[in-house]
Amino acid sequence: MDDRARALAVAHDRATAFLERLPERPVWPRASYDDMLEALGGDLPSEGTDPAELVEQLAVQAEPGLAGIPGGRFYGFVIGGGLPAALAADWLASTWDQNAGLSAISPAASAVETIAGGWLVDLLGLPAQSAVGFVTGATMANFTGLAVARREVLAKAGWDLDQQGLPGAPPTRIVVGEHRHSTVDRAAKFLGFGRNQLIVVPADGEGRMLPDELARALEDAGDGPLVVCLQAGEVHTGAFDLFEPLIGLAHDHGAWVHVDGAFGLWAATAESTRHLTEGVQSADSWATDGHKTLNVPYDSGMAIVRDGAAMRAVFGSRADYLIEGAGDPSERTPELSRRARGFAVWAALRSLGRDGVAALVRRLCDNAARMAAGLADIPGVEVLNDVVFTQVVATFGSDDETRALGQRLLADGTAVLTPGEWRGRVVQRCSISNWSTTYDDVDMTLAAVRRLLAE
Ligand SMILES: *Cc1c(COP(=O)(O)O)cnc(C)c1O
């Protein structure tokens, strides 16, 4: 075998072994960042290392510093795993090494993005003609949607952003919910919007923007360029904004409506949760992730814009040495050269089928309901949210006790919950986002919590 074949064979063996060991291995990393610096660092040697040997070394040395993210008991943050077909297609994407920016050099990469994008807007119940850009995640999808929004609302106010830039532009107001995700603020910042341009609208106890408060905020905002950011899936509670009234109000005021639906937009794919996204299709742009509810390996996000021409106006580019084709993916993303992310999304959707996507979403929700009911049954444990989707927020006594329980669970290694703050209390957050989580995983986690609380 040549160097490449031997290195790939080692990678395959090591990858398979890692996946097989997931059910037994501690879910939280056993080594720290400093341990990893020591294990993998030092001066770069003058001499190289045999590729196969090096890959073997990397796999062995990195292992203790890895989290069991692809396994069924990682419930921290909002993190999906990798469906078998998506993972394998992602390996192929690395092997093929296609540049997905231009159709001409990779018709396959470009076509799967067109196809998967079409399936996606159909599954999510969004307007059929919407344009889809395959980006790294919801942060960049928010950035992408808001970049299009910025140009459009300024154009409507008679301002040519491409020519004149931001200096002297009519001030744009960005209306956001009290419980928006922090990446909406990051995206706004990257786009040159300052904190003074944000109007923050109060929310209810589950984190949903209050329609009366939005109406008031829109009155206060006046006539200038206006963007309203709504949310499908609050990161703690999983709650959904009430899209129908909110989008109606925003559009009455001439606003562009952007929806951050990183994990929640997927509620639209299952009958049992579809009502949560009712009305969301009336927005102008949407952000979602492939690497959360859909369980595509990192990194995978999609920026969806109703008006494809508006998206191309922001991201389309020209250079003498490129071959421009119809529907170049680079017209829909901030990047030119990039990984062919569409293959893994295409594979995830095609391997599950329409019913399989719905079943995945239902299963995540069932597991979340089981976890919430099990937690609420444990004396001293309180579930704070209305569990409508995949998120459970719980306290385990006082703030200190809640914090301590989370740390002991990480040390114990059975499962991972991660801490946060909700309604002024320290909580542990439990996000059921992995395709492979079973009732057994949920029950093992509940047993570990009971045992640690009793100790
Ligand atoms: C995860 C998340 C984001 C950020 O997404 P990344 O994929 O981490 O960039 C934005 N909004 C919400 C609601 C999220 O859950």
Side-chain angles (χ1 to χ4, degrees):
M1 279 199 279
D2 65 13
D3 280 355
R4 187 165 59 196
R6 284 190 303 115
L8 283 173
V10 172
H12 179 270
D13 287 351
R14 281 292 165 178
T16 311
F18 175 75
L19 294 175
E20 279 168 359
R21 234 172 66 73
L22 279 171
E24 285 86 46
R25 107 194 257 290
V27 185
W28 196 244
R30 281 298 172 259
S32 68
Y33 171 72
D34 285 337
D35 296 337
M36 285 293 104
L37 287 181
E38 183 154 339
L40 299 163
D43 291 336
L44 181 64
S46 315
E47 304 259 302
T49 308
D50 171 71
E53 201 179 303
L54 185 82
V55 171
E56 174 78 19
Q57 260 177 39
L58 172 64
V60 170
Q61 290 174 339
E63 217 281 344
L66 302 175
I69 285 180
R73 292 190 304 279
F74 191 102
Y75 310 118
F77 313 99
V78 182
I79 287 198
L83 288 163
L87 172 59
D90 204 51
W91 282 8
L92 283 179
S94 289
T95 309
W96 290 336
D97 196 24
Q98 301 295 288
N99 184 327
L102 303 171
S103 299
I105 54 170
S106 188
S110 178
V112 293
E113 293 194 3
T114 304
I115 296 162
W119 290 342
L120 185 76
V121 294
D122 183 35
L123 281 171
L124 300 180
L126 301 179
Q129 83 287 357
S130 303
V132 182
F134 287 75
V135 293
T136 48
T139 303
M140 281 312 289
N142 281 329
F143 170 85
T144 301
L146 291 177
V148 181
R150 178 180 68 171
R151 185 178 184 280
E152 286 299 300
V153 296
L154 284 171
K156 234 166 67 177
W159 188 261
D160 181 350
L161 180 68
D162 301 343
Q163 187 62 36
Q164 303 178 89
L166 282 176
T172 302
R173 310 302 306 267
I174 317 276
V175 179
V176 296
E178 184 186 350
H179 290 291
R180 69 201 176 278
H181 195 268
S182 59
T183 57
V184 171
D185 298 58
R186 289 185 89 203
K189 183 163 113 178
F190 299 163
L191 289 162
F193 296 125
R195 272 193 290 274
N196 289 350
Q197 284 169 274
L198 299 188
I199 300 177
V200 180
V201 181
D204 70 10
E206 297 292 324
R208 291 173 295 219
M209 186 186 280
L210 290 163
D212 288 351
E213 297 286 350
L214 176 64
R216 192 169 318 162
L218 290 168
E219 293 302 332
D220 293 348
D223 290 336
L226 198 59
V227 179
V228 173
C229 298
L230 303 178
Q231 179 163 263
E234 202 281 335
V235 78
H236 296 308
T237 64
F240 292 68
D241 281 339
L242 296 168
F243 298 110
E244 223 149 57
L246 295 172
I247 295 176
L249 281 167
H251 280 165
D252 286 349
H253 282 77
W256 177 285
V257 179
H258 173 78
V259 177
D260 175 4
F263 64 94
L265 269 189
W266 295 87
T269 65
E271 185 87 40
S272 48
T273 45
R274 191 166 299 142
H275 61 281
L276 297 168
T277 58
E278 206 176 312
V280 78
Q281 72 281 356
S282 306
D284 302 290
S285 57
W286 304 263
T288 196
D289 268 317
H291 55 224
K292 290 179 181 170
T293 314
L294 183 61
N295 279 264
V296 170
Y298 287 106
D299 43 29
S300 180
M302 301 82 161
I304 307 166
V305 177
R306 172 190 294 276
D307 179 355
M311 199 175 200
R312 278 192 298 281
V314 174
F315 297 110
S317 61
R318 295 266 170 270
D320 64 272
Y321 72 100
L322 301 176
I323 309 167
E324 277 130 23
D328 282 333
S330 59
E331 294 185 331
R332 304 187 292 271
T333 64
E335 304 95 337
L336 175 57
S337 298
R338 68 173 168 81
R339 176 176 187 74
R341 282 187 196 105
F343 288 120
V345 176
W346 181 92
L349 294 174
R350 187 68 179 75
S351 74
L352 291 171
R354 179 178 290 276
D355 293 348
V357 174
L360 166 63
V361 169
R362 265 201 317 275
R363 198 162 71 239
L364 300 178
C365 293
D366 284 351
N367 282 325
R370 187 181 183 89
M371 184 73 84
L375 286 172
D377 264 355
I378 303 174
V381 181
E382 201 183 333
V383 172
L384 299 190
N385 66 317
D386 182 13
V387 180
V388 295
F389 198 53
T390 54
Q391 308 296 105
V392 182
V393 178
T395 57
F396 299 82
S398 69
D399 284 359
D400 283 346
E401 286 166 334
T402 298
R403 233 180 257 119
L405 186 276
Q407 277 161 5
R408 284 159 65 201
L409 194 57
L410 299 188
D412 170 76
T414 309
V416 168
L417 310 189
T418 49
E421 262 180 49
W422 185 246
R423 290 197 225 147
R425 297 176 71 180
V426 171
V427 295
Q428 293 293 337
R429 306 171 54 267
C430 178
S431 172
I432 312 270
S433 302
N434 193 296
W435 69 280
S436 69
T437 300
T438 61
Y439 276 180
D440 280 350
D441 286 317
V442 173
D443 294 346
M444 267 179 79
T445 305
L446 291 168
V449 168
R450 264 190 234 103
R451 170 165 48 79
L452 293 172
L453 284 174
E455 271 168 18

